[in-house]
mmCIF file with all atom_site columns, all heavy atoms in Angstrom:
data_model
loop_
_atom_site.group_PDB
_atom_site.id
_atom_site.type_symbol
_atom_site.label_atom_id
_atom_site.label_alt_id
_atom_site.label_comp_id
_atom_site.label_asym_id
_atom_site.label_entity_id
_atom_site.label_seq_id
_atom_site.pdbx_PDB_ins_code
_atom_site.Cartn_x
_atom_site.Cartn_y
_atom_site.Cartn_z
_atom_site.occupancy
_atom_site.B_iso_or_equiv
_atom_site.pdbx_formal_charge
_atom_site.auth_seq_id
_atom_site.auth_comp_id
_atom_site.auth_asym_id
_atom_site.auth_atom_id
_atom_site.pdbx_PDB_model_num
ATOM 1   N N   . VAL A 1 179 ? -15.258 -3.689 16.757 1.00 0.00 ? 185 VAL A N   1
ATOM 2   C CA  . VAL A 1 179 ? -15.610 -2.368 16.243 1.00 0.00 ? 185 VAL A CA  1
ATOM 3   C C   . VAL A 1 179 ? -16.576 -1.634 17.172 1.00 0.00 ? 185 VAL A C   1
ATOM 4   O O   . VAL A 1 179 ? -16.347 -0.470 17.532 1.00 0.00 ? 185 VAL A O   1
ATOM 5   C CB  . VAL A 1 179 ? -16.206 -2.491 14.829 1.00 0.00 ? 185 VAL A CB  1
ATOM 6   C CG1 . VAL A 1 179 ? -16.602 -1.112 14.292 1.00 0.00 ? 185 VAL A CG1 1
ATOM 7   C CG2 . VAL A 1 179 ? -15.213 -3.147 13.880 1.00 0.00 ? 185 VAL A CG2 1
ATOM 8   N N   . ILE A 1 180 ? -17.672 -2.284 17.569 1.00 0.00 ? 186 ILE A N   1
ATOM 9   C CA  . ILE A 1 180 ? -18.675 -1.609 18.395 1.00 0.00 ? 186 ILE A CA  1
ATOM 10  C C   . ILE A 1 180 ? -18.118 -1.194 19.753 1.00 0.00 ? 186 ILE A C   1
ATOM 11  O O   . ILE A 1 180 ? -18.354 -0.051 20.198 1.00 0.00 ? 186 ILE A O   1
ATOM 12  C CB  . ILE A 1 180 ? -19.929 -2.491 18.547 1.00 0.00 ? 186 ILE A CB  1
ATOM 13  C CG1 . ILE A 1 180 ? -20.661 -2.585 17.201 1.00 0.00 ? 186 ILE A CG1 1
ATOM 14  C CG2 . ILE A 1 180 ? -20.876 -1.947 19.617 1.00 0.00 ? 186 ILE A CG2 1
ATOM 15  C CD1 . ILE A 1 180 ? -21.886 -3.467 17.212 1.00 0.00 ? 186 ILE A CD1 1
ATOM 16  N N   . PRO A 1 181 ? -17.370 -2.052 20.488 1.00 0.00 ? 187 PRO A N   1
ATOM 17  C CA  . PRO A 1 181 ? -16.796 -1.591 21.761 1.00 0.00 ? 187 PRO A CA  1
ATOM 18  C C   . PRO A 1 181 ? -15.873 -0.381 21.598 1.00 0.00 ? 187 PRO A C   1
ATOM 19  O O   . PRO A 1 181 ? -15.919 0.551  22.405 1.00 0.00 ? 187 PRO A O   1
ATOM 20  C CB  . PRO A 1 181 ? -16.030 -2.820 22.262 1.00 0.00 ? 187 PRO A CB  1
ATOM 21  C CG  . PRO A 1 181 ? -16.740 -3.983 21.660 1.00 0.00 ? 187 PRO A CG  1
ATOM 22  C CD  . PRO A 1 181 ? -17.158 -3.504 20.301 1.00 0.00 ? 187 PRO A CD  1
ATOM 23  N N   . ILE A 1 182 ? -15.026 -0.378 20.551 1.00 0.00 ? 188 ILE A N   1
ATOM 24  C CA  . ILE A 1 182 ? -14.143 0.770  20.315 1.00 0.00 ? 188 ILE A CA  1
ATOM 25  C C   . ILE A 1 182 ? -14.974 2.009  19.989 1.00 0.00 ? 188 ILE A C   1
ATOM 26  O O   . ILE A 1 182 ? -14.734 3.105  20.520 1.00 0.00 ? 188 ILE A O   1
ATOM 27  C CB  . ILE A 1 182 ? -13.160 0.471  19.175 1.00 0.00 ? 188 ILE A CB  1
ATOM 28  C CG1 . ILE A 1 182 ? -12.235 -0.686 19.547 1.00 0.00 ? 188 ILE A CG1 1
ATOM 29  C CG2 . ILE A 1 182 ? -12.331 1.700  18.837 1.00 0.00 ? 188 ILE A CG2 1
ATOM 30  C CD1 . ILE A 1 182 ? -11.351 -1.142 18.396 1.00 0.00 ? 188 ILE A CD1 1
ATOM 31  N N   . PHE A 1 183 ? -15.967 1.847  19.134 1.00 0.00 ? 189 PHE A N   1
ATOM 32  C CA  . PHE A 1 183 ? -16.820 2.957  18.719 1.00 0.00 ? 189 PHE A CA  1
ATOM 33  C C   . PHE A 1 183 ? -17.545 3.550  19.929 1.00 0.00 ? 189 PHE A C   1
ATOM 34  O O   . PHE A 1 183 ? -17.565 4.778  20.119 1.00 0.00 ? 189 PHE A O   1
ATOM 35  C CB  . PHE A 1 183 ? -17.821 2.474  17.675 1.00 0.00 ? 189 PHE A CB  1
ATOM 36  C CG  . PHE A 1 183 ? -18.610 3.567  17.022 1.00 0.00 ? 189 PHE A CG  1
ATOM 37  C CD1 . PHE A 1 183 ? -18.166 4.158  15.858 1.00 0.00 ? 189 PHE A CD1 1
ATOM 38  C CD2 . PHE A 1 183 ? -19.807 4.005  17.574 1.00 0.00 ? 189 PHE A CD2 1
ATOM 39  C CE1 . PHE A 1 183 ? -18.896 5.172  15.248 1.00 0.00 ? 189 PHE A CE1 1
ATOM 40  C CE2 . PHE A 1 183 ? -20.536 5.018  16.982 1.00 0.00 ? 189 PHE A CE2 1
ATOM 41  C CZ  . PHE A 1 183 ? -20.090 5.600  15.808 1.00 0.00 ? 189 PHE A CZ  1
ATOM 42  N N   . ASN A 1 184 ? -18.140 2.713  20.757 1.00 0.00 ? 190 ASN A N   1
ATOM 43  C CA  . ASN A 1 184 ? -18.876 3.196  21.932 1.00 0.00 ? 190 ASN A CA  1
ATOM 44  C C   . ASN A 1 184 ? -17.944 3.867  22.937 1.00 0.00 ? 190 ASN A C   1
ATOM 45  O O   . ASN A 1 184 ? -18.311 4.864  23.577 1.00 0.00 ? 190 ASN A O   1
ATOM 46  C CB  . ASN A 1 184 ? -19.624 2.042  22.597 1.00 0.00 ? 190 ASN A CB  1
ATOM 47  C CG  . ASN A 1 184 ? -20.781 1.529  21.751 1.00 0.00 ? 190 ASN A CG  1
ATOM 48  O OD1 . ASN A 1 184 ? -21.247 2.223  20.837 1.00 0.00 ? 190 ASN A OD1 1
ATOM 49  N ND2 . ASN A 1 184 ? -21.237 0.328  22.021 1.00 0.00 ? 190 ASN A ND2 1
ATOM 50  N N   . PHE A 1 185 ? -16.740 3.306  23.098 1.00 0.00 ? 191 PHE A N   1
ATOM 51  C CA  . PHE A 1 185 ? -15.773 3.888  24.027 1.00 0.00 ? 191 PHE A CA  1
ATOM 52  C C   . PHE A 1 185 ? -15.392 5.301  23.590 1.00 0.00 ? 191 PHE A C   1
ATOM 53  O O   . PHE A 1 185 ? -15.384 6.240  24.401 1.00 0.00 ? 191 PHE A O   1
ATOM 54  C CB  . PHE A 1 185 ? -14.527 3.004  24.102 1.00 0.00 ? 191 PHE A CB  1
ATOM 55  C CG  . PHE A 1 185 ? -13.400 3.586  24.907 1.00 0.00 ? 191 PHE A CG  1
ATOM 56  C CD1 . PHE A 1 185 ? -13.449 3.591  26.295 1.00 0.00 ? 191 PHE A CD1 1
ATOM 57  C CD2 . PHE A 1 185 ? -12.297 4.143  24.263 1.00 0.00 ? 191 PHE A CD2 1
ATOM 58  C CE1 . PHE A 1 185 ? -12.413 4.140  27.037 1.00 0.00 ? 191 PHE A CE1 1
ATOM 59  C CE2 . PHE A 1 185 ? -11.261 4.695  25.003 1.00 0.00 ? 191 PHE A CE2 1
ATOM 60  C CZ  . PHE A 1 185 ? -11.317 4.696  26.391 1.00 0.00 ? 191 PHE A CZ  1
ATOM 61  N N   . LEU A 1 186 ? -15.094 5.489  22.311 1.00 0.00 ? 192 LEU A N   1
ATOM 62  C CA  . LEU A 1 186 ? -14.709 6.806  21.810 1.00 0.00 ? 192 LEU A CA  1
ATOM 63  C C   . LEU A 1 186 ? -15.888 7.774  21.823 1.00 0.00 ? 192 LEU A C   1
ATOM 64  O O   . LEU A 1 186 ? -15.712 8.984  22.035 1.00 0.00 ? 192 LEU A O   1
ATOM 65  C CB  . LEU A 1 186 ? -14.152 6.676  20.394 1.00 0.00 ? 192 LEU A CB  1
ATOM 66  C CG  . LEU A 1 186 ? -12.850 5.867  20.261 1.00 0.00 ? 192 LEU A CG  1
ATOM 67  C CD1 . LEU A 1 186 ? -12.490 5.662  18.788 1.00 0.00 ? 192 LEU A CD1 1
ATOM 68  C CD2 . LEU A 1 186 ? -11.711 6.572  20.991 1.00 0.00 ? 192 LEU A CD2 1
ATOM 69  N N   . GLU A 1 187 ? -17.089 7.243  21.611 1.00 0.00 ? 193 GLU A N   1
ATOM 70  C CA  . GLU A 1 187 ? -18.287 8.085  21.604 1.00 0.00 ? 193 GLU A CA  1
ATOM 71  C C   . GLU A 1 187 ? -18.514 8.743  22.964 1.00 0.00 ? 193 GLU A C   1
ATOM 72  O O   . GLU A 1 187 ? -19.042 9.860  23.052 1.00 0.00 ? 193 GLU A O   1
ATOM 73  C CB  . GLU A 1 187 ? -19.492 7.237  21.199 1.00 0.00 ? 193 GLU A CB  1
ATOM 74  C CG  . GLU A 1 187 ? -20.749 8.027  20.888 1.00 0.00 ? 193 GLU A CG  1
ATOM 75  C CD  . GLU A 1 187 ? -21.896 7.128  20.498 1.00 0.00 ? 193 GLU A CD  1
ATOM 76  O OE1 . GLU A 1 187 ? -21.904 5.961  20.946 1.00 0.00 ? 193 GLU A OE1 1
ATOM 77  O OE2 . GLU A 1 187 ? -22.781 7.578  19.755 1.00 0.00 ? 193 GLU A OE2 1
ATOM 78  N N   . ASN A 1 188 ? -18.094 8.069  24.044 1.00 0.00 ? 194 ASN A N   1
ATOM 79  C CA  . ASN A 1 188 ? -18.280 8.609  25.393 1.00 0.00 ? 194 ASN A CA  1
ATOM 80  C C   . ASN A 1 188 ? -17.500 9.894  25.637 1.00 0.00 ? 194 ASN A C   1
ATOM 81  O O   . ASN A 1 188 ? -17.815 10.646 26.565 1.00 0.00 ? 194 ASN A O   1
ATOM 82  C CB  . ASN A 1 188 ? -17.878 7.561  26.434 1.00 0.00 ? 194 ASN A CB  1
ATOM 83  C CG  . ASN A 1 188 ? -18.821 6.372  26.456 1.00 0.00 ? 194 ASN A CG  1
ATOM 84  O OD1 . ASN A 1 188 ? -20.003 6.502  26.127 1.00 0.00 ? 194 ASN A OD1 1
ATOM 85  N ND2 . ASN A 1 188 ? -18.314 5.211  26.820 1.00 0.00 ? 194 ASN A ND2 1
ATOM 86  N N   . PHE A 1 189 ? -16.468 10.149 24.830 1.00 0.00 ? 195 PHE A N   1
ATOM 87  C CA  . PHE A 1 189 ? -15.662 11.358 25.004 1.00 0.00 ? 195 PHE A CA  1
ATOM 88  C C   . PHE A 1 189 ? -16.264 12.558 24.270 1.00 0.00 ? 195 PHE A C   1
ATOM 89  O O   . PHE A 1 189 ? -15.700 13.660 24.326 1.00 0.00 ? 195 PHE A O   1
ATOM 90  C CB  . PHE A 1 189 ? -14.235 11.114 24.496 1.00 0.00 ? 195 PHE A CB  1
ATOM 91  C CG  . PHE A 1 189 ? -13.453 10.140 25.330 1.00 0.00 ? 195 PHE A CG  1
ATOM 92  C CD1 . PHE A 1 189 ? -13.390 8.805  24.979 1.00 0.00 ? 195 PHE A CD1 1
ATOM 93  C CD2 . PHE A 1 189 ? -12.796 10.559 26.481 1.00 0.00 ? 195 PHE A CD2 1
ATOM 94  C CE1 . PHE A 1 189 ? -12.672 7.897  25.749 1.00 0.00 ? 195 PHE A CE1 1
ATOM 95  C CE2 . PHE A 1 189 ? -12.082 9.656  27.254 1.00 0.00 ? 195 PHE A CE2 1
ATOM 96  C CZ  . PHE A 1 189 ? -12.012 8.333  26.892 1.00 0.00 ? 195 PHE A CZ  1
ATOM 97  N N   . GLY A 1 190 ? -17.377 12.358 23.590 1.00 0.00 ? 196 GLY A N   1
ATOM 98  C CA  . GLY A 1 190 ? -18.031 13.458 22.902 1.00 0.00 ? 196 GLY A CA  1
ATOM 99  C C   . GLY A 1 190 ? -17.290 13.927 21.664 1.00 0.00 ? 196 GLY A C   1
ATOM 100 O O   . GLY A 1 190 ? -17.435 15.088 21.243 1.00 0.00 ? 196 GLY A O   1
#
Side-chain angles (χ1 to χ4, degrees):
V185 179
I186 291 178
I188 297 173
F189 189 91
N190 291 342
F191 173 76
L192 296 173
E193 191 180 27
N194 292 332
F195 292 95

